[in-house]
Amino acid sequence: MMGSGLESFGDCSLPGKPHIGCVEKTLPECRKANFGFNNKIGSIGGDSYRFGNNYNMSLTECEDKCMHNYSFVAYASITKNGTGCEIWTKIMSFYTSGPVTDREIYLLMGKESNWWKWFITALGGTILMTFSIICYCVYRNSEQKILAEEN
């Protein structure tokens, strides 16, 4: 759902150039750009809210409600055909097996940021290079002293 970054006023799932009815989604201030929803099959134990049992609400509208409220952490359709909206404010547990686990639930997940891995790699490389240069200079200096003592 969040992968395309487009809001639906037409078919936005097509690859390449989006449908003319698609508009760019903007995240609310309470959400960072590195967050999105991952779908899992199962059931949730936790605090949930159903939007007035409105079975006409689409899954895209449900995602939008969840994304724009900072306290919501998961959402799912109420019916098998993908309509209705249930949203969770707290997840106590997630079950992947049991009597009611055939439901697709979208959980808010942070996407991993890798900037710190690149920083540590660059820092480690710089330290290693500096250490190598120092060792080479010490080696050259000691070699020159030995040659000077022999002469």
Side-chain angles (χ1 to χ4, degrees):
M1 305 296 306
M2 281 295 293
S4 68
L6 299 171
E7 198 162 343
S8 179
F9 291 105
D11 187 1
C12 299
S13 62
L14 299 173
K17 193 172 183 180
H19 185 272
I20 195 163
C22 296
V23 293
E24 191 72 30
K25 275 189 181 179
T26 56
L27 291 174
E29 289 191 25
C30 66
R31 302 283 189 209
K32 294 182 181 177
N34 64 338
F35 280 87
F37 292 98
N38 292 340
N39 60 325
K40 304 237 183 223
I41 304 294
S43 62
I44 292 181
D47 301 332
S48 72
Y49 175 78
R50 287 186 177 202
F51 282 94
N53 290 332
N54 180 356
Y55 294 105
N56 293 327
M57 185 180 263
S58 72
L59 197 56
T60 303
E61 292 169 318
C62 191
E63 176 190 19
D64 190 56
K65 290 254 187 224
C66 191
M67 181 56 79
H68 285 83
N69 188 318
Y70 189 68
S71 62
F72 295 156
V73 295
Y75 70 95
S77 61
I78 297 171
T79 64
K80 295 263 186 204
N81 69 357
T83 59
C85 183
E86 184 171 8
I87 293 184
W88 285 266
T89 55
K90 184 189 289 187
I91 299 173
M92 303 295 262
S93 53
F94 187 84
Y95 305 101
T96 55
S97 63
V100 188
T101 58
D102 61 344
R103 193 170 177 200
E104 190 168 25
I105 299 173
Y106 295 84
L107 304 166
L108 183 66
M109 302 287 206
K111 296 176 185 169
E112 189 175 328
S113 176
N114 292 325
W115 70 267
W116 62 271
K117 291 178 184 177
W118 288 107
F119 177 75
I120 289 174
T121 302
L123 182 64
T126 302
I127 290 171
L128 183 62
M129 183 66 82
T130 303
F131 182 71
S132 297
I133 291 170
I134 291 171
C135 288
Y136 176 74
C137 290
V138 168
Y139 172 75
R140 287 276 296 188
N141 192 24
S142 64
E143 247 188 22
Q144 287 178 352
K145 282 184 182 178
I146 291 171
L147 287 174
E149 287 175 4
E150 286 178 358
N151 291 332

